């Protein structure tokens, strides 16, 4: 295998790694209660998904 001729410096490695950051997950508004939730998941505040009650939420 090919070997590097010189040691790569920290700043060069850091410049390459700048694009490897985590991004914010997409958020959707629940059509039933208006709470912010992850898309394609059950709403944690009302327990509904696609107009169907999945979880019984006790208030």
């Amino acid at each position: 295998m090919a070997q590097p001729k010189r040691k790569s410096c920290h700043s060069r490695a850091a410049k390459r790694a700048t694009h490897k950051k985590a991004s914010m997950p997409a958020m959707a508004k629940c059509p039933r209660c208006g709470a912010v939730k992850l898309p394609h998941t059950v709403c944690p505040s009302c327990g509904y998904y696609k107009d169907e009650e999945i979880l019984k939420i006790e208030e």
Side-chain angles (χ1 to χ4, degrees), residues 24-39 41-46:
M24 286 291 292
M27 299 304 270
K29 195 172 163 185
C30 177
R32 191 165 194 282
C33 67
V36 179
K37 66 177 190 72
L38 289 172
T41 56
V42 177
C43 178
S45 58
C46 67

Side-chain angles (χ1 to χ4, degrees), residues 4-54:
K5 237 175 199 196
R6 296 186 187 275
K7 183 177 179 180
S8 60
C9 64
H10 169 75
S11 63
R12 188 159 181 85
K15 284 178 191 175
R16 220 177 20 251
T18 57
H19 303 290
K20 291 185 179 180
K21 54 188 173 237
S23 60
M24 286 291 292
M27 299 304 270
K29 195 172 163 185
C30 177
R32 191 165 194 282
C33 67
V36 179
K37 66 177 190 72
L38 289 172
H40 308 288
T41 56
V42 177
C43 178
S45 58
C46 67
Y48 274 73
Y49 179 67
K50 291 190 177 180
D51 299 327
E52 227 177 280
E53 188 175 13
I54 307 296

